[in-house]
Amino acid sequence: VSRLRRWYGAGPLHALATVVAALVSGYALTRFGTDAPWVDLGLWFVGSVVLHDLVLAPLYALADRSLLAVLRHRRPATGAAAPAVPVVNHLRVPALLSGLLLLLWAPLVLRLTEGYEPITGEPVEVYLPRWLGISAVLFAGSAVVYALRLRRAARRRRS
Amino acid sequence: MVRRTVRGLTAWAGDHPPPGPFRRTWWRSPLRGPWLTAVLGSVLLVGIPVVIVTGLVSYLAYEPELPGNDKTPGKGLLGFYLAGWTTEPRWLYRLTQGVHVLLGLALVPVVLAKLWSVLPRLFVWPPVRSPAQLVERLTLLLLVGGILFEIVTGVTNIQNWYVWGFSFYTAHLYGGWVMIGAFAAHVAVKLPVMLRTLRARPLRAELRTDLAHTEPEPPDEDGLAPVAPGPPTISRRGALAVVGGGSLLVLATSVGQSIDPLRWTALMAPRGRTGDGGPNDFPVNKTAEYRGITADQVAAGVWRLELVDGDQRVELSRDELLAMEQHTYELPISCVEGWSTSQTWTGVRLRDLARLVGVPDPGPARVTSLQQGGAFGAASFSADQVLNPASLLALRVNGADLSLDHGFPARVIVPAAPGVYCTKWVGQVDFRLGASA
């Protein structure tokens, strides 16, 4: 058993769990009922993983690194001292939240969904201004909090 | 000899990863580590089963076991728990489906954060060290692919953006089962690790740690924590607050779709309407125009309700229906898309209609719409549903005639039934379903 375990690389519970998973998942795939369920569902599965892991994640990581680089290099150029409160999260947080809403509701915001208006009888054009409005409130709110924190830091330094 | 060569090569490859993300020094974030992953995992460990169970409940509520209702004839063992749906409590489907969609939406930022926290694992080098790791990576493909697939199909479906080449109903169901299998395996394998990690680092202490005191987690054997961390720019509690804030923001801008007085707050959710405030001002699933219903078809003198029991047929005009005993109930109508609304419906009891066509003790019945196309132009109900006193062929809502979009001249409303079964523009009710089945 210990040789088997060394060859496999994990314990029997691990093997049992993955076998059960494979059985349930494989059975569901065969039940899908299209001619080529492996292709129909498999493409979407792999496609969504690739889209997330190799497109979306690198994009937001790149955006974040760029933001950090810009903030770092701007300082010597303007000759200013490091701000008492770092600004980075006051940009990151509203950008992330606004991006999250866009990611979820892009079909409505960007009017990709042609079906929405004829199906529901409701206007789709309200969603872009609503998303912009919520984003504006998020950024403005973040700026106000930043200003308050700066003032508090300045007061603390004076006293 | 061969085995030694293979082992030697594997060891050599392990020490010589290709550049970029395959090197552990590539991953700089000081927040990544087993603890953060375990915290996010514990949230999903509670949340995802709730979404799974409410989803499976929705399949149950569609009563695929009744003749004519089944969109998934190949379900096989996956229909093991189908045993009919209830009519009480009347808000049951409103609750389960509202939770399914709203919690599913709110978990999206948690899923994204969890995937971010384990991203270095995708590029682990060498890609396969043991058979156990190979099968685990394959189940992870099913798990991550399955969760993303369920999110994408769900989120696009509620926005009526039908981009896939197959039926949402079947794809979301079978895709869900693929995910369930992989999710169960992942929990079985990782639960001990998660609990051990959470115990080693108390949550309360971490929530008291500000940016100045945020330290990277020590490098771990799974390779989640960075070996060459950059300086922290946000505390761990700050990062968790952003994720939780994302969930709250998504909830705050959608929850109004399920709570009538808060409907105006559903700024981003579909059907977050604020209309004229009239008796027919509540969300429409499919408009009359979309379903090819014209005013001529349902005009007085043209439209007739047909009641069928085998060879027995009775036809009624809308005036004749209005002359029957009318009943009024406040009942929710709850869409599989998550939105719901409670309205006051007035009409004729389904069981009274059965009596008219000579069926004093009705079994299951099938209601058919005049609509063109669509997968849900007809729905079958169980005897329990037909007999419920609040199951109506509604003619009026909130004291006014139904609007054409809400199913004029007559629509079905059955307590706790999925909204799409509350068939609009009813043309026929067949009470012989039980006998023919």
Side-chain angles (χ1 to χ4, degrees):
Chain A
V1 173
S2 76
R3 248 177 73 187
L4 195 65
R5 193 191 178 104
R6 204 172 332 124
W7 173 81
Y8 178 66
L13 173 69
H14 186 284
L16 187 71
T18 38
V19 166
V20 170
L23 287 178
V24 174
S25 301
Y27 183 75
L29 270 180
T30 63
R31 302 279 94 192
F32 189 42
T34 60
D35 295 335
W38 295 92
V39 180
D40 289 341
L41 278 189
L43 268 184
W44 279 85
F45 271 49
V46 175
S48 49
V49 171
V50 167
L51 218 61
H52 173 270
D53 290 358
L54 301 179
V55 180
L56 181 66
L59 275 180
Y60 69 65
L62 184 70
D64 191 53
R65 283 194 186 192
S66 312
L67 174 68
L68 285 173
V70 166
L71 292 177
R72 209 175 315 129
H73 289 296
R74 227 177 51 96
R75 223 173 287 140
T78 53
V85 180
V87 72
V88 57
N89 290 327
H90 291 273
L91 294 169
R92 256 182 190 163
V93 174
L96 261 177
L97 295 177
S98 161
L100 172 67
L101 288 184
L102 180 63
L103 188 69
L104 281 177
W105 305 116
L108 291 173
V109 171
L110 305 178
R111 300 183 210 177
L112 305 170
T113 163
E114 285 171 14
Y116 185 75
E117 290 197 334
I119 286 174
T120 66
E122 291 179 38
V124 73
E125 73 257 15
V126 298
Y127 289 98
L128 176 61
R130 282 182 191 177
W131 173 68
L132 289 173
I134 293 172
S135 303
V137 169
L138 289 171
F139 276 99
S142 181
V144 168
V145 173
Y146 183 60
L148 291 175
R149 288 180 67 190
L150 270 185
R151 203 172 70 169
R152 209 173 56 181
R155 245 187 234 157
R156 203 177 300 149
R157 204 176 300 168
R158 240 177 286 139
S159 62
Chain B
M1 181 64 199
V2 173
R3 193 180 298 166
R4 197 169 303 164
T5 316
V6 169
R7 206 171 287 163
L9 275 175
T10 316
W12 180 86
D15 294 338
H16 296 83
F22 297 98
R23 303 216 163 144
R24 286 191 62 183
T25 48
W26 168 274
W27 303 95
R28 305 289 305 278
S29 171
L31 294 197
R32 273 204 193 92
W35 185 83
L36 188 69
T37 299
V39 169
L40 296 167
S42 65
V43 175
L44 295 176
L45 180 62
V46 176
I48 288 184
V50 175
V51 178
I52 289 175
V53 168
T54 48
L56 295 179
V57 163
S58 181
Y59 185 53
L60 176 69
Y62 272 69
E63 298 180 306
E65 75 281 2
L66 291 179
N69 277 358
D70 198 358
K71 311 270 182 259
T72 51
K75 61 188 174 299
L77 297 174
L78 300 181
F80 70 93
Y81 63 95
L82 297 175
W85 183 237
T86 177
T87 48
E88 303 288 340
R90 292 169 181 170
W91 41 261
L92 185 60
Y93 190 70
R94 179 178 209 190
L95 177 73
T96 60
Q97 197 55 21
V99 166
H100 181 74
V101 172
L102 288 169
L103 183 59
L105 288 170
L107 286 181
V108 169
V110 187
V111 168
L112 293 176
K114 176 77 161 48
L115 291 178
W116 173 83
S117 80
V118 296
L119 202 52
R121 300 284 294 149
L122 179 67
F123 299 96
V124 69
W125 193 266
V128 177
R129 229 181 256 275
S130 67
Q133 195 192 6
L134 176 67
V135 290
E136 190 172 334
R137 298 200 79 181
L138 288 176
T139 55
L140 281 176
L141 176 68
L142 289 179
L143 176 64
V144 178
I147 287 183
L148 293 177
F149 179 79
E150 293 298 284
I151 289 175
V152 170
T153 48
V155 164
T156 49
N157 184 65
I158 63 177
Q159 298 174 75
N160 309 100
W161 195 36
Y162 309 119
V163 278
W164 47 84
F166 31 74
S167 143
F168 168 76
Y169 184 103
T170 53
H172 202 66
L173 175 75
Y174 292 125
W177 273 108
V178 174
M179 183 201 79
I180 289 171
F183 179 75
H186 189 62
V187 171
V189 170
K190 292 295 187 190
L191 186 65
V193 184
M194 188 194 91
L195 293 175
R196 209 182 316 131
T197 311
L198 289 177
R199 250 182 258 128
R201 209 180 168 97
L203 177 68
R204 207 173 287 171
E206 200 56 55
L207 292 184
R208 275 198 298 262
T209 308
D210 63 3
L211 177 59
H213 298 90
T214 298
E215 301 277 345
E217 290 184 55
D220 59 312
E221 57 183 54
D222 282 333
L224 291 175
V227 291
T233 53
I234 188 168
S235 63
R236 232 168 243 112
R237 66 177 181 188
L240 289 176
V242 174
V243 177
S247 294
L248 284 181
L249 177 67
V250 170
L251 266 187
T253 50
S254 336
V255 73
Q257 69 171 4
S258 307
I259 301 173
D260 286 304
L262 296 182
R263 194 159 306 275
W264 62 274
T265 65
L267 291 172
M268 296 312 297
R271 293 179 173 80
R273 69 188 349 240
T274 44
D276 60 3
N280 274 282
D281 180 30
F282 56 95
V284 171
N285 182 26
K286 302 279 189 315
T287 60
E289 194 183 345
Y290 186 74
R291 279 292 168 234
I293 300 289
T294 62
D296 296 344
Q297 262 180 295
V298 295
V302 177
W303 180 82
R304 284 265 189 290
L305 175 71
E306 187 184 36
L307 304 174
V308 184
D309 175 50
D311 298 335
Q312 290 280 80
R313 264 158 217 274
V314 174
E315 286 200 356
L316 293 169
S317 71
R318 194 166 190 277
D319 284 339
E320 287 167 324
L321 286 166
L322 281 169
M324 291 174 64
E325 195 182 343
Q326 302 290 302
H327 299 272
T328 299
Y329 291 93
E330 188 182 336
L331 294 174
I333 185 159
S334 324
C335 186
V336 71
E337 293 161 10
W339 58 269
S340 57
T341 178
S342 193
Q343 305 294 336
T344 305
W345 311 88
T346 302
V348 185
R349 282 179 174 151
L350 291 184
R351 65 186 195 195
D352 291 350
L353 292 175
R355 208 165 293 136
L356 268 188
V357 73
V359 186
D361 187 17
R366 187 162 180 81
V367 180
T368 307
S369 169
L370 300 175
Q371 75 177 47
Q372 309 284 311
F376 294 95
S380 304
F381 293 102
S382 68
D384 184 40
Q385 288 172 314
V386 174
L387 284 169
N388 191 294
S391 293
L392 301 179
L393 183 74
L395 306 165
R396 298 163 65 79
V397 64
N398 302 319
D401 281 344
L402 289 169
S403 69
L404 192 56
D405 277 341
H406 282 306
F408 182 89
R411 79 172 303 165
V412 167
I413 179 95
V414 169
V420 79
Y421 277 11
C422 297
T423 308
K424 301 193 279 191
W425 317 293
V426 171
Q428 188 196 65
V429 184
D430 184 351
F431 290 100
R432 191 49 87 84
L433 182 69
S436 66

Short mmCIF file of all heavy atoms in Angstrom, two decimals, chain A residues 54-101:
data_model
loop_
_atom_site.label_atom_id
_atom_site.label_comp_id
_atom_site.label_asym_id
_atom_site.label_seq_id
_atom_site.Cartn_x
_atom_site.Cartn_y
_atom_site.Cartn_z
N LEU A 54 -6.17 33.30 -18.51
CA LEU A 54 -5.15 33.79 -19.43
C LEU A 54 -5.51 35.13 -20.09
O LEU A 54 -4.71 35.68 -20.84
CB LEU A 54 -4.85 32.74 -20.50
CG LEU A 54 -4.37 31.38 -19.95
CD1 LEU A 54 -4.12 30.39 -21.06
CD2 LEU A 54 -3.12 31.55 -19.09
N VAL A 55 -6.71 35.64 -19.87
CA VAL A 55 -7.06 36.94 -20.42
C VAL A 55 -7.44 37.92 -19.31
O VAL A 55 -6.78 38.92 -19.08
CB VAL A 55 -8.20 36.84 -21.47
CG1 VAL A 55 -8.54 38.21 -22.00
CG2 VAL A 55 -7.80 35.90 -22.60
N LEU A 56 -8.53 37.59 -18.59
CA LEU A 56 -9.03 38.54 -17.58
C LEU A 56 -8.02 38.78 -16.46
O LEU A 56 -7.69 39.93 -16.14
CB LEU A 56 -10.35 38.02 -17.00
CG LEU A 56 -10.99 38.92 -15.95
CD1 LEU A 56 -11.44 40.24 -16.57
CD2 LEU A 56 -12.18 38.23 -15.28
N ALA A 57 -7.48 37.68 -15.88
CA ALA A 57 -6.55 37.85 -14.75
C ALA A 57 -5.27 38.61 -15.16
O ALA A 57 -4.88 39.55 -14.47
CB ALA A 57 -6.23 36.49 -14.13
N PRO A 58 -4.61 38.24 -16.27
CA PRO A 58 -3.44 39.04 -16.68
C PRO A 58 -3.78 40.50 -16.94
O PRO A 58 -3.00 41.39 -16.60
CB PRO A 58 -2.98 38.35 -17.97
CG PRO A 58 -3.49 36.97 -17.88
CD PRO A 58 -4.77 37.04 -17.11
N LEU A 59 -4.99 40.74 -17.49
CA LEU A 59 -5.36 42.13 -17.79
C LEU A 59 -5.48 42.95 -16.51
O LEU A 59 -4.95 44.05 -16.41
CB LEU A 59 -6.68 42.17 -18.56
CG LEU A 59 -6.58 42.01 -20.08
CD1 LEU A 59 -7.96 42.07 -20.71
CD2 LEU A 59 -5.67 43.08 -20.67
N TYR A 60 -6.18 42.39 -15.50
CA TYR A 60 -6.31 43.22 -14.29
C TYR A 60 -5.01 43.30 -13.52
O TYR A 60 -4.72 44.32 -12.89
CB TYR A 60 -7.54 42.83 -13.44
CG TYR A 60 -7.55 41.51 -12.71
CD1 TYR A 60 -6.66 41.24 -11.68
CD2 TYR A 60 -8.52 40.55 -13.02
CE1 TYR A 60 -6.72 40.03 -10.99
CE2 TYR A 60 -8.57 39.34 -12.33
CZ TYR A 60 -7.66 39.08 -11.32
OH TYR A 60 -7.71 37.90 -10.63
N ALA A 61 -4.18 42.24 -13.60
CA ALA A 61 -2.87 42.32 -12.94
C ALA A 61 -2.01 43.38 -13.61
O ALA A 61 -1.33 44.18 -12.94
CB ALA A 61 -2.19 40.96 -12.99
N LEU A 62 -2.07 43.43 -14.94
CA LEU A 62 -1.28 44.41 -15.69
C LEU A 62 -1.76 45.82 -15.35
O LEU A 62 -0.96 46.74 -15.12
CB LEU A 62 -1.43 44.15 -17.18
CG LEU A 62 -0.60 45.04 -18.10
CD1 LEU A 62 0.87 44.68 -17.95
CD2 LEU A 62 -1.03 44.88 -19.56
N ALA A 63 -3.08 45.99 -15.29
CA ALA A 63 -3.63 47.31 -14.96
C ALA A 63 -3.14 47.74 -13.58
O ALA A 63 -2.74 48.89 -13.37
CB ALA A 63 -5.16 47.27 -15.01
N ASP A 64 -3.13 46.79 -12.64
CA ASP A 64 -2.72 47.13 -11.28
C ASP A 64 -1.23 47.48 -11.23
O ASP A 64 -0.83 48.46 -10.60
CB ASP A 64 -3.03 45.96 -10.34
CG ASP A 64 -2.87 46.36 -8.89
OD1 ASP A 64 -3.50 47.37 -8.50
OD2 ASP A 64 -2.13 45.69 -8.16
N ARG A 65 -0.41 46.69 -11.92
CA ARG A 65 1.03 46.99 -11.91
C ARG A 65 1.30 48.33 -12.57
O ARG A 65 2.18 49.08 -12.13
CB ARG A 65 1.80 45.87 -12.62
CG ARG A 65 1.94 44.65 -11.73
CD ARG A 65 2.97 43.66 -12.22
NE ARG A 65 2.91 42.46 -11.37
CZ ARG A 65 3.81 41.50 -11.37
NH1 ARG A 65 4.86 41.57 -12.18
NH2 ARG A 65 3.68 40.46 -10.58
N SER A 66 0.55 48.62 -13.65
CA SER A 66 0.74 49.91 -14.32
C SER A 66 0.40 51.05 -13.37
O SER A 66 1.12 52.05 -13.28
CB SER A 66 -0.15 50.00 -15.57
OG SER A 66 -0.01 48.84 -16.33
N LEU A 67 -0.72 50.88 -12.66
CA LEU A 67 -1.14 51.93 -11.71
C LEU A 67 -0.05 52.16 -10.67
O LEU A 67 0.33 53.31 -10.40
CB LEU A 67 -2.45 51.51 -11.04
CG LEU A 67 -2.95 52.42 -9.92
CD1 LEU A 67 -3.38 53.76 -10.49
CD2 LEU A 67 -4.10 51.77 -9.16
N LEU A 68 0.48 51.06 -10.12
CA LEU A 68 1.53 51.18 -9.10
C LEU A 68 2.77 51.86 -9.69
O LEU A 68 3.37 52.73 -9.05
CB LEU A 68 1.90 49.80 -8.57
CG LEU A 68 0.88 49.17 -7.61
CD1 LEU A 68 1.28 47.74 -7.28
CD2 LEU A 68 0.79 49.99 -6.33
N ALA A 69 3.13 51.49 -10.93
CA ALA A 69 4.32 52.07 -11.56
C ALA A 69 4.14 53.56 -11.78
O ALA A 69 5.04 54.36 -11.51
CB ALA A 69 4.59 51.35 -12.87
N VAL A 70 2.96 53.93 -12.27
CA VAL A 70 2.69 55.36 -12.52
C VAL A 70 2.81 56.14 -11.22
O VAL A 70 3.45 57.19 -11.15
CB VAL A 70 1.29 55.55 -13.14
CG1 VAL A 70 0.87 57.01 -13.10
CG2 VAL A 70 1.27 55.03 -14.58
N LEU A 71 2.19 55.62 -10.16
CA LEU A 71 2.21 56.33 -8.88
C LEU A 71 3.64 56.46 -8.35
O LEU A 71 4.01 57.46 -7.75
CB LEU A 71 1.33 55.61 -7.86
CG LEU A 71 -0.16 55.67 -8.16
CD1 LEU A 71 -0.94 54.86 -7.14
CD2 LEU A 71 -0.66 57.10 -8.17
N ARG A 72 4.45 55.40 -8.59
CA ARG A 72 5.81 55.42 -8.09
C ARG A 72 6.67 56.43 -8.85
O ARG A 72 7.46 57.14 -8.26
CB ARG A 72 6.42 54.01 -8.19
CG ARG A 72 7.48 53.76 -7.13
CD ARG A 72 7.98 52.31 -7.19
NE ARG A 72 6.91 51.34 -7.33
CZ ARG A 72 6.89 50.39 -8.26
NH1 ARG A 72 7.87 50.29 -9.13
NH2 ARG A 72 5.89 49.54 -8.32
N HIS A 73 6.47 56.49 -10.18
CA HIS A 73 7.35 57.33 -10.99
C HIS A 73 6.92 58.78 -11.02
O HIS A 73 7.68 59.65 -11.39
CB HIS A 73 7.41 56.78 -12.42
CG HIS A 73 8.17 55.48 -12.49
ND1 HIS A 73 9.50 55.38 -12.20
CD2 HIS A 73 7.75 54.22 -12.76
CE1 HIS A 73 9.89 54.12 -12.32
NE2 HIS A 73 8.82 53.39 -12.65
N ARG A 74 5.67 59.04 -10.66
CA ARG A 74 5.18 60.40 -10.72
C ARG A 74 5.83 61.25 -9.63
O ARG A 74 6.03 62.44 -9.78
CB ARG A 74 3.66 60.39 -10.50
CG ARG A 74 2.88 61.23 -11.51
CD ARG A 74 1.41 61.07 -11.21
NE ARG A 74 1.15 61.32 -9.79
CZ ARG A 74 0.74 62.50 -9.32
NH1 ARG A 74 0.56 63.50 -10.14
NH2 ARG A 74 0.51 62.65 -8.04
N ARG A 75 6.14 60.59 -8.51
CA ARG A 75 6.56 61.34 -7.34
C ARG A 75 7.87 62.11 -7.57
O ARG A 75 7.90 63.32 -7.38
CB ARG A 75 6.69 60.40 -6.14
CG ARG A 75 6.11 61.02 -4.90
CD ARG A 75 6.08 60.01 -3.78
NE ARG A 75 5.06 59.00 -3.97
CZ ARG A 75 5.26 57.72 -3.70
NH1 ARG A 75 6.44 57.30 -3.27
NH2 ARG A 75 4.29 56.86 -3.87
N PRO A 76 8.96 61.43 -8.03
CA PRO A 76 10.20 62.19 -8.24
C PRO A 76 10.03 63.29 -9.28
O PRO A 76 10.61 64.38 -9.13
CB PRO A 76 11.20 61.14 -8.73
CG PRO A 76 10.53 59.83 -8.65
CD PRO A 76 9.11 60.02 -8.29
N ALA A 77 9.20 63.05 -10.28
CA ALA A 77 9.03 64.04 -11.35
C ALA A 77 8.44 65.33 -10.80
O ALA A 77 8.85 66.43 -11.17
CB ALA A 77 8.13 63.47 -12.44
N THR A 78 7.46 65.21 -9.91
CA THR A 78 6.84 66.42 -9.37
C THR A 78 7.63 66.96 -8.19
O THR A 78 7.35 68.05 -7.70
CB THR A 78 5.40 66.13 -8.91
OG1 THR A 78 5.44 65.01 -8.02
CG2 THR A 78 4.50 65.80 -10.08
N GLY A 79 8.59 66.18 -7.74
CA GLY A 79 9.42 66.63 -6.63
C GLY A 79 8.69 66.64 -5.30
O GLY A 79 9.20 67.15 -4.32
N ALA A 80 7.49 66.06 -5.27
CA ALA A 80 6.72 66.10 -4.03
C ALA A 80 7.16 64.98 -3.09
O ALA A 80 7.66 63.95 -3.53
CB ALA A 80 5.23 65.94 -4.34
N ALA A 81 6.98 65.21 -1.82
CA ALA A 81 7.25 64.16 -0.85
C ALA A 81 6.16 63.11 -0.94
O ALA A 81 5.07 63.36 -1.48
CB ALA A 81 7.30 64.76 0.55
N ALA A 82 6.43 61.93 -0.43
CA ALA A 82 5.41 60.89 -0.43
C ALA A 82 4.19 61.39 0.35
O ALA A 82 4.35 61.96 1.42
CB ALA A 82 5.96 59.62 0.22
N PRO A 83 2.99 61.19 -0.20
CA PRO A 83 1.80 61.67 0.51
C PRO A 83 1.65 60.94 1.84
O PRO A 83 2.09 59.79 1.97
CB PRO A 83 0.66 61.36 -0.44
CG PRO A 83 1.19 60.30 -1.36
CD PRO A 83 2.67 60.51 -1.45
N ALA A 84 1.06 61.64 2.80
CA ALA A 84 0.89 61.06 4.13
C ALA A 84 0.01 59.82 4.09
O ALA A 84 0.13 58.94 4.92
CB ALA A 84 0.30 62.10 5.08
N VAL A 85 -0.91 59.79 3.12
CA VAL A 85 -1.80 58.65 2.95
C VAL A 85 -1.63 58.15 1.52
O VAL A 85 -1.78 58.93 0.59
CB VAL A 85 -3.27 59.07 3.19
CG1 VAL A 85 -4.20 57.87 3.01
CG2 VAL A 85 -3.45 59.70 4.56
N PRO A 86 -1.30 56.86 1.32
CA PRO A 86 -1.15 56.38 -0.06
C PRO A 86 -2.47 56.45 -0.81
O PRO A 86 -3.53 56.14 -0.25
CB PRO A 86 -0.69 54.92 0.10
CG PRO A 86 -0.52 54.68 1.55
CD PRO A 86 -1.08 55.82 2.32
N VAL A 87 -2.40 56.87 -2.07
CA VAL A 87 -3.61 57.09 -2.84
C VAL A 87 -4.08 55.81 -3.54
O VAL A 87 -5.23 55.69 -3.94
CB VAL A 87 -3.41 58.24 -3.86
CG1 VAL A 87 -2.50 57.77 -5.00
CG2 VAL A 87 -4.74 58.72 -4.42
N VAL A 88 -3.17 54.82 -3.63
CA VAL A 88 -3.42 53.72 -4.57
C VAL A 88 -4.76 53.02 -4.33
O VAL A 88 -5.51 52.78 -5.28
CB VAL A 88 -2.24 52.71 -4.56
CG1 VAL A 88 -1.97 52.16 -3.17
CG2 VAL A 88 -2.50 51.58 -5.51
N ASN A 89 -5.10 52.73 -3.08
CA ASN A 89 -6.34 51.98 -2.86
C ASN A 89 -7.59 52.83 -3.10
O ASN A 89 -8.67 52.30 -3.33
CB ASN A 89 -6.34 51.39 -1.46
CG ASN A 89 -5.33 50.27 -1.35
OD1 ASN A 89 -5.09 49.56 -2.33
ND2 ASN A 89 -4.70 50.13 -0.20
N HIS A 90 -7.41 54.14 -3.06
CA HIS A 90 -8.55 55.01 -3.35
C HIS A 90 -8.85 55.04 -4.84
O HIS A 90 -9.89 55.53 -5.25
CB HIS A 90 -8.29 56.41 -2.79
CG HIS A 90 -8.30 56.43 -1.30
ND1 HIS A 90 -9.45 56.59 -0.57
CD2 HIS A 90 -7.31 56.23 -0.39
CE1 HIS A 90 -9.17 56.51 0.72
NE2 HIS A 90 -7.87 56.30 0.85
N LEU A 91 -7.93 54.56 -5.64
CA LEU A 91 -8.20 54.38 -7.08
C LEU A 91 -8.60 52.93 -7.36
O LEU A 91 -9.52 52.66 -8.13
CB LEU A 91 -6.96 54.74 -7.89
CG LEU A 91 -6.56 56.21 -7.83
CD1 LEU A 91 -5.18 56.41 -8.45
CD2 LEU A 91 -7.59 57.07 -8.55
N ARG A 92 -7.85 52.01 -6.72
CA ARG A 92 -8.09 50.59 -6.95
C ARG A 92 -9.51 50.16 -6.60
O ARG A 92 -10.18 49.47 -7.36
CB ARG A 92 -7.17 49.79 -6.04
CG ARG A 92 -5.99 49.16 -6.67
CD ARG A 92 -5.32 48.42 -5.55
NE ARG A 92 -4.01 47.93 -5.92
CZ ARG A 92 -3.12 47.54 -5.01
NH1 ARG A 92 -3.39 47.66 -3.73
NH2 ARG A 92 -1.96 47.07 -5.39
N VAL A 93 -9.97 50.53 -5.41
CA VAL A 93 -11.24 50.00 -4.91
C VAL A 93 -12.42 50.43 -5.79
O VAL A 93 -13.18 49.57 -6.25
CB VAL A 93 -11.44 50.37 -3.43
CG1 VAL A 93 -12.81 49.95 -2.96
CG2 VAL A 93 -10.35 49.72 -2.58
N PRO A 94 -12.58 51.74 -6.07
CA PRO A 94 -13.70 52.08 -6.94
C PRO A 94 -13.56 51.47 -8.33
O PRO A 94 -14.56 51.07 -8.94
CB PRO A 94 -13.68 53.61 -6.99
CG PRO A 94 -12.35 54.02 -6.48
CD PRO A 94 -11.88 52.94 -5.57
N ALA A 95 -12.32 51.36 -8.84
CA ALA A 95 -12.13 50.78 -10.17
C ALA A 95 -12.55 49.30 -10.16
O ALA A 95 -13.23 48.83 -11.08
CB ALA A 95 -10.68 50.92 -10.61
N LEU A 96 -12.17 48.59 -9.11
CA LEU A 96 -12.53 47.17 -9.01
C LEU A 96 -14.05 46.99 -8.93
O LEU A 96 -14.63 46.15 -9.61
CB LEU A 96 -11.89 46.56 -7.76
CG LEU A 96 -10.60 45.76 -7.94
CD1 LEU A 96 -10.10 45.30 -6.58
CD2 LEU A 96 -10.83 44.57 -8.85
N LEU A 97 -14.69 47.80 -8.08
CA LEU A 97 -16.14 47.66 -7.89
C LEU A 97 -16.88 48.02 -9.17
O LEU A 97 -17.81 47.32 -9.58
CB LEU A 97 -16.60 48.54 -6.73
CG LEU A 97 -16.06 48.14 -5.35
CD1 LEU A 97 -16.53 49.12 -4.28
CD2 LEU A 97 -16.48 46.72 -4.99
N SER A 98 -16.45 49.08 -9.80
CA SER A 98 -17.08 49.49 -11.06
C SER A 98 -16.86 48.42 -12.13
O SER A 98 -17.77 48.08 -12.90
CB SER A 98 -16.50 50.84 -11.48
OG SER A 98 -16.73 51.05 -12.83
N GLY A 99 -15.64 47.87 -12.17
CA GLY A 99 -15.34 46.81 -13.12
C GLY A 99 -16.17 45.56 -12.87
O GLY A 99 -16.61 44.89 -13.81
N LEU A 100 -16.40 45.26 -11.60
CA LEU A 100 -17.22 44.10 -11.25
C LEU A 100 -18.64 44.25 -11.79
O LEU A 100 -19.20 43.32 -12.39
CB LEU A 100 -17.25 43.94 -9.72
CG LEU A 100 -18.20 42.90 -9.16
CD1 LEU A 100 -17.77 41.49 -9.55
CD2 LEU A 100 -18.32 43.02 -7.65
N LEU A 101 -19.22 45.44 -11.59
CA LEU A 101 -20.57 45.67 -12.10
C LEU A 101 -20.60 45.56 -13.63
O LEU A 101 -21.52 44.99 -14.21
CB LEU A 101 -21.08 47.05 -11.67
CG LEU A 101 -21.44 47.20 -10.19
CD1 LEU A 101 -22.01 48.59 -9.93
CD2 LEU A 101 -22.46 46.14 -9.76
#
